[in-house]
Amino acid sequence: MKKSKVVSLTEAMQEVHDGDCIAMGAVVEDRRPVAAACELIRQGKKNLIILAECSLSEDILVGGGCVSAYRGTYSAIGAFGISPSTKRFAEEGKIVIDDIGHTDVCLGALASMAGAPFIASRTTLGTDVLNPAFDNVAKIRNMARNPETLPAKKYVLIEDPFYGMGTVQLHPAMKFDVFINHVQYAGEEGTVRIDGSLVFDHFAVHAAKKVIITAEQIVPEEYLRRDPNRNQ
């Protein structure tokens, strides 16, 4: 029998270090790792760099003074409006923000899953996402504990060499020091089951050096393996 990977929330969050680039799974207010965010605040983590989105659990971290920068695409909590702490900190100049496109977040994680350093896209052409005046990736890279986790450039524009379809954006793969994901079921050996939308969690786990799972229930591995097609 393999060794159990189950630890306390306190122990799990000790794997996150000041200055780490982190992402949190699921989306907006659905299946968010809120308990993990609260524990990171209790432990006094500082200068974290949030990647992908800044919604419910991430905004809690911002309000707790744990975040120095955010590189992502969505800063709201669904029907509750703009993420209040993120808005306040941005207006007060207490957090550096680098906007990327909604689809580019998913494509960047997909690139990591495929082992590719970048992926081609046209989704943000013509938008201020590509405006050099708003490019803060170099500034955020210098703030990171591991600068190599972030790309050296925000994007590169090239002409399509295959089909002559004009300008395309090369978007770098998303990489995380830590990916924290909350799920409904987890086995003691690390098998995970998500009920409902996977969002892009199944891409993001391949983009992270370290994955931390929090779960509603710890169940026997044997139970999960009765129906392996439902597991991640």
Side-chain angles (χ1 to χ4, degrees), residues 49-191:
I49 296 171
I50 298 292
L51 301 178
E53 66 175 292
C54 202
S55 191
L56 179 60
S57 50
E58 297 87 355
D59 195 59
I60 291 171
L61 283 175
V62 174
C66 300
V67 178
S68 60
Y70 160 55
R71 185 166 194 268
T73 184
Y74 185 81
S75 306
I77 310 177
F80 298 98
I82 295 174
S83 301
S85 295
T86 304
K87 180 177 184 293
R88 184 175 71 255
F89 274 57
E91 290 173 344
E92 295 174 356
K94 295 179 179 178
I95 185 173
V96 179
I97 295 178
D98 187 53
D99 285 318
I100 57 179
H102 274 68
T103 305
D104 289 343
V105 169
C106 298
L107 291 175
L110 175 63
S112 283
M113 186 179 75
F118 57 82
I119 194 165
S121 168
R122 303 178 71 184
T123 57
T124 52
L125 295 180
T127 74
D128 271 342
V129 168
L130 304 187
N131 187 335
F134 304 130
D135 183 348
N136 285 321
V137 68
K139 184 183 295 185
I140 295 176
R141 199 171 195 263
N142 288 333
M143 299 165 68
R145 185 172 75 93
N146 298 308
E148 69 280 2
T149 304
L150 296 170
K153 295 182 179 180
K154 185 171 184 175
Y155 62 87
V156 171
L157 299 179
I158 67 166
E159 295 300 306
D160 172 21
F162 301 110
Y163 297 104
M165 294 178 64
T167 303
V168 295
Q169 170 199 357
L170 300 185
H171 182 75
M174 294 286 288
K175 294 183 179 181
F176 318 126
D177 291 315
V178 184
F179 178 60
I180 304 171
N181 199 19
H182 186 70
V183 304
Q184 287 90 356
Y185 306 99
E188 291 187 352
E189 296 174 14
T191 305

Side-chain angles (χ1 to χ4, degrees), residues 206-232:
H206 297 279
K209 298 174 185 175
K210 188 176 297 180
V211 176
I212 299 174
I213 297 295
T214 62
E216 298 291 331
Q217 296 183 58
I218 304 297
V219 297
E221 290 281 339
E222 185 273 333
Y223 169 78
L224 294 173
R225 289 171 184 173
R226 292 177 197 170
D227 192 358
N229 291 329
R230 296 176 60 196
N231 299 335
Q232 280 69 51

Side-chain angles (χ1 to χ4, degrees), residues 24-65:
M24 295 180 140
V27 66
V28 191
E29 69 273 271
D30 178 50
R31 194 168 47 77
R32 306 313 315 282
V34 171
C38 293
E39 181 58 32
L40 289 171
I41 294 172
R42 287 189 200 99
Q43 294 186 16
K45 304 297 183 182
K46 298 294 181 184
N47 299 318
L48 299 177
I49 296 171
I50 298 292
L51 301 178
E53 66 175 292
C54 202
S55 191
L56 179 60
S57 50
E58 297 87 355
D59 195 59
I60 291 171
L61 283 175
V62 174

